[in-house]
Amino acid sequence: MMDLAELLPAWPEWAMNLLLIMGVLLFFTWAYTIFFPDDTSESEEDANDTVQVVDAKAQQNKEFLAFRRQYILVYLIIMLADWMQGTHMYTLYLSYNVNISALFLTGFLSGAVFAPFLGSAVDKYGRKRSCIVYCVLEIIINTMEHSTNFTILLTGRVLGGISTNLLFSAFESWMTTEHRKRQFPEAWLSRTYSAASVGNGSMAIIAGIVAQVMEDFLGQIGPFQGAIGLTVAALLLVLQWEENYGEESDEKKEESSSSGLYQQFVDGWSTTFKDSRVWRIGMTQALSEGGMYTFVFMWVPTLLSLDPPGGVPTGCVFSSLMMAITIGGFLFPPLQSIVSKLFTCTFAPELSATLIYTLAGASMAVPAICLSSDSSSCFTRIIVSFIVVEACVGLFMPVAGTLRSKYVPDALQGAILNIFRLPLNAVVVLGTHATDVMESWKVFSLVSACFLGAALLQFSMMLFGTSAHITTTTRSKQD
């Protein structure tokens, strides 16, 4: 009879232990959310509610769950398709023997060039329509990946910069506006963002396996063919959505119909610069996500440089890191609930964000300190710090979404979310460049500084008064 050990992958013991520990932690985190759900927002004032009110709340919750499933299903499909491409794009271009750095740089530059204008078009011409354009672009881009012609691939990267901006603005803008349009409680938005964070981490884990199977059967292009099929499925689901625009009221609709795309563009930039809370949210996103993307470039070479026993099975470590993101997504609702109960203030999301970014900054200080001296005995501390920072990523994805929905006006969601991507692209480019020219410990010091800078920005939002412009806009949406 075959020994059980022969059926397991030939991974080093430390990697198998890491995967097992993360699997156990993920299971218990999931079990905690199942048996101890955060239902404070549903149970407020239940003692004074009449039967009719209770029934109305139950019906509203049922409608909200159906709405969230409608959005999350599409989100999971498009993120699975996106992860499948991301895990194999480098190796595909490597097999084509083309200039890989030029292709990736083109994608970043395209995103930066189109970001300031694309968001205004999302608000003006419709979020659903923009999601449809995203799906069509992704189908075209993944079809172009079949070609070995460098010009065609370069064109695909230009389109990829456009589609990336749509991915991170159109879908969220549609969901936030539709949530308010259906008059669901504002507090429930964080539940959708948390579910999206959990789903994103889960899709990343699944994508690695599915993409590898597709590659085994269909070659290097297999994951991209799978992404085409998934995107077609997402497109069919998006077609069933209702349309919404960057408009708040009937008066606003009349003004919008007479104003052009240029005015939408101007309004987005004007709002961003006039209200400090909006641009601080944007800079927080740029610093935190820029630090995250720089970490992505660093974790593999850092672990390889430490030369752990048995080597570094990157697929195994990647799955462990993605489990940490999923755990973070599960932990956000209870964290938000605890912060709200302990401090009973209107700045619960800001305080949660401050704590999360501070923890992320502290975790990245660990490899910075270890690698600046003798790193031979630091492997365990460094791998734990990597797990912690990825759990923070899972936490700050929903908290960032909650803050954007709180301060960014519905009418300008698409425009402002794309404006946010300008400093983000700048930080990513600088961080990527730093990985090539600086020592590892210095790069991790910069990543830690990015997270701590984001924490300071969030802390400053609790110290200074609320902007009249954003408060008025937000309250008009809630009314």
Side-chain angles (χ1 to χ4, degrees), residues 70-369:
Q70 181 187 33
Y71 170 72
I72 291 296
L73 178 59
V74 172
Y75 180 82
L76 294 183
I77 293 173
I78 61 173
M79 293 311 299
L80 178 58
D82 187 64
W83 277 111
M84 285 176 63
Q85 300 168 61
T87 56
H88 283 69
M89 188 170 287
Y90 183 89
T91 55
L92 178 70
Y93 291 159
L94 192 64
S95 69
Y96 288 167
N97 194 29
V98 294
N99 189 332
I100 300 174
S101 60
L103 290 172
F104 279 103
L105 183 60
T106 299
F108 281 122
L109 290 176
S110 172
V113 168
F114 286 102
F117 316 99
L118 200 60
S120 302
V122 169
D123 292 329
K124 179 70 177 177
Y125 298 113
R127 281 70 179 269
K128 172 186 172 180
R129 189 174 287 116
S130 299
C131 293
I132 292 172
V133 171
Y134 166 81
C135 292
V136 172
L137 281 177
E138 281 297 298
I139 293 169
I140 294 172
I141 292 166
N142 285 305
T143 301
M144 296 173 78
E145 301 291 2
H146 287 66
S147 173
T148 58
N149 183 283
F150 185 73
T151 303
I152 294 177
L153 294 174
L154 204 64
T155 304
R157 288 300 85 217
V158 172
L159 296 177
I162 298 173
S163 69
T164 299
N165 286 330
L166 289 174
L167 172 62
F168 293 106
S169 61
F171 290 90
E172 180 177 323
S173 298
W174 179 88
M175 183 275 292
T176 304
T177 299
E178 196 66 22
H179 179 102
R180 289 172 174 145
K181 186 177 172 183
R182 302 188 186 196
Q183 300 182 332
F184 296 131
E186 285 291 303
W188 292 4
L189 267 172
S190 63
R191 295 196 220 166
T192 303
Y193 286 119
S194 177
S197 180
V198 170
N200 182 46
S202 302
M203 290 304 101
I205 299 170
I206 295 171
I209 300 171
V210 174
Q212 188 61 58
V213 172
M214 297 290 291
E215 181 183 350
D216 292 342
F217 282 94
L218 301 172
Q220 296 281 5
I221 198 63
F224 298 86
Q225 294 173 338
I228 291 174
L230 288 169
T231 308
V232 170
L235 175 59
L236 295 175
L237 291 171
V238 169
L239 290 172
Q240 301 174 36
W241 287 3
E242 295 181 16
E243 183 62 277
N244 63 51
Y245 301 86
E247 301 164 348
E248 298 172 342
S249 63
D250 292 338
E251 292 182 13
K252 197 72 176 178
K253 288 179 183 178
E254 292 175 7
E255 294 175 12
S256 180
S257 62
S258 60
S259 65
L261 184 61
Y262 173 76
Q263 187 59 47
Q264 196 82 4
F265 170 79
V266 170
D267 289 344
W269 281 94
S270 176
T271 301
T272 301
F273 283 108
K274 283 183 178 178
D275 192 280
S276 67
R277 289 189 173 243
V278 175
W279 67 254
R280 275 183 281 176
I281 290 293
M283 287 307 301
T284 298
Q285 178 176 326
L287 290 172
S288 59
E289 292 192 24
M292 176 189 70
Y293 284 123
T294 304
F295 167 76
V296 168
F297 283 104
M298 288 298 298
W299 74 264
V300 173
T302 299
L303 294 182
L304 289 173
S305 69
L306 296 173
D307 193 25
V312 179
T314 54
C316 174
V317 178
F318 175 80
S319 295
S320 299
L321 295 177
M322 294 306 102
M323 287 185 191
I325 289 180
T326 308
I327 289 172
F330 276 128
L331 289 177
F332 176 70
L335 171 66
Q336 186 85 325
S337 177
I338 291 171
V339 170
S340 299
K341 290 176 180 177
L342 290 180
F343 297 96
T344 60
C345 64
T346 58
F347 295 111
E350 291 84 349
L351 181 56
S352 297
T354 302
L355 296 174
I356 293 165
Y357 293 134
T358 301
L359 178 59
S363 68
M364 287 294 92
V366 172
I369 295 171

Side-chain angles (χ1 to χ4, degrees), residues 3-64:
D3 186 31
L4 178 61
E6 296 179 11
L7 299 176
L8 298 175
W11 293 336
E13 183 179 356
W14 69 265
M16 293 295 291
N17 289 339
L18 176 65
L19 193 63
L20 178 62
I21 291 171
M22 294 307 300
V24 171
L25 287 175
L26 178 58
F27 172 79
F28 280 108
T29 306
W30 169 80
Y32 175 83
T33 60
I34 294 297
F35 291 106
F36 303 98
D38 175 43
D39 57 359
T40 54
S41 59
E42 294 178 48
S43 58
E44 291 179 357
E45 301 180 356
D46 279 355
N48 300 321
D49 288 343
T50 63
V51 175
Q52 290 82 0
V53 171
V54 171
D55 290 342
K57 284 186 175 182
Q59 179 62 28
Q60 185 183 43
N61 187 61
K62 182 179 178 181
E63 292 173 359
F64 167 73

Side-chain angles (χ1 to χ4, degrees), residues 436-459:
D436 293 328
V437 299
M438 297 176 66
E439 296 178 67
S440 295
W441 72 270
K442 292 181 179 178
V443 177
F444 281 112
S445 297
L446 289 176
V447 174
S448 177
C450 284
F451 288 135
L452 293 176
L456 285 174
L457 284 169
Q458 289 304 301
F459 184 70

